[in-house]
Amino acid sequence: MPAYFEPSDSVPSGAAIALEEVEISILRSLTVQLLELIGPGEEPSTDPDPLAELFAEGPSEPPTDPALARLFPDAYGGPGVRETQETAAASAEFRRYTENDLRARKRGDGLSVVRALDTLVPGRGGGAVLTLAPEQSRQWLGTLNDLRLTLAARLDISTEDDTDKLFSLEDDDPRKPLVMAYLWLGGLQESLVETLLA
C-alpha cells in the first residue's frame, strides 16, 4: 500500500493508508499542536439549556495570530476587499454566533485524528494500516486542511507563487522541515479527496 490514501477493501466508502511509525508520530504531534492552538472547549454544563447554547455568543474580533486568522477568517471582506463599517459589523456579528461552533468542530475533528492514530500498533516493519469510515474521512479532511492552513500562515504562503518558491529552498533553511510537512500533508489531503470521489 502506498503512503497515500486509497479505497478501503474492508470498509464500504472508506479510506485506508499505510503509515510508518515516524509518519504516525509527525501527524499526531502536528495535530496536538493544532488542538493547542485552537484552544480548549467550554466545560459541558451539568444542566444544559438548549436555548442558552443556541444563543451563546463567541468573540466578535478576529484572532491576532495569523494562523488562527486563517482558521477563523472574517465572513465578509478579506484579502483584496476594502473593509467598510458595514462589512466589519457584519463580520463581527457572524463571528459572534459561529466561531464557537467552528472551534468545537475543528477540535472534534482533531481529536478524532489523534484517537485514530493512537489505535495504531506498528508491526515488525514499523508501519501500520489505518482504515477510516466515511465520517472519519471527513474529519481527517478537515484536520489535514487546518494543518496546511496553519503551516501556510507560519511559512507566509498566500499565493501559488509563494508555494512554488518553497521548492527552491536550501537544505539548511530553517523553514525546510515545515515546508516538507506542508507538502506531505498536501499529498495526503489530495489522495484522500481522490479516494472519497472514486
Side-chain angles (χ1 to χ4, degrees):
M1 181 179 284
Y4 293 105
F5 286 97
E6 61 182 26
S8 168
D9 294 331
S10 60
V11 177
S13 301
I17 187 171
L19 294 168
E20 295 297 322
E21 196 167 358
V22 67
E23 294 170 322
I24 295 167
S25 176
I26 291 169
L27 270 173
R28 189 181 192 290
S29 175
L30 288 172
T31 305
V32 167
Q33 290 176 58
L34 175 67
L35 289 169
E36 290 171 354
L37 180 67
I38 292 170
E42 303 238 342
E43 289 293 319
S45 173
T46 55
D47 185 28
D49 177 359
L51 284 178
E53 288 180 19
L54 182 64
F55 294 108
E57 292 187 19
S60 59
E61 294 295 319
T64 56
D65 183 305
L68 285 173
R70 288 229 184 149
L71 293 174
F72 306 104
D74 276 334
Y76 306 97
V81 177
R82 189 174 63 84
E83 185 175 79
T84 64
Q85 284 184 331
E86 290 81 18
T87 60
S91 289
E93 188 74 4
F94 186 82
R95 181 179 299 282
R96 183 176 297 121
Y97 292 107
T98 61
E99 187 169 314
N100 285 345
D101 288 340
L102 186 55
R103 279 182 186 264
R105 195 196 82 223
K106 289 179 182 297
R107 195 176 301 109
D109 290 351
L111 286 171
S112 174
V113 169
V114 170
R115 288 180 184 129
L117 292 170
D118 285 348
T119 66
L120 297 179
V121 179
R124 275 194 273 206
V129 175
L130 174 69
T131 302
L132 302 175
E135 175 60 18
Q136 287 177 299
S137 295
R138 186 206 60 76
Q139 293 172 314
W140 271 71
L141 268 179
T143 297
L144 289 171
N145 187 61
D146 290 344
L147 288 170
R148 291 193 77 232
L149 286 172
T150 301
L151 289 176
R154 297 297 186 235
L155 292 165
D156 201 26
I157 299 170
S158 55
T159 67
E160 195 65 39
D161 287 340
D162 294 337
T163 304
D164 291 341
K165 291 176 190 173
L166 299 178
F167 291 102
S168 60
L169 285 180
E170 298 293 327
D171 286 341
D172 61 351
D173 191 303
R175 298 172 295 168
K176 190 78 170 196
L178 288 181
V179 169
M180 298 304 292
Y182 176 79
L183 297 173
W184 176 60
L185 291 167
L188 291 179
Q189 184 179 20
E190 184 178 349
S191 70
L192 184 52
V193 168
E194 289 172 357
T195 297
L196 296 176
L197 293 176

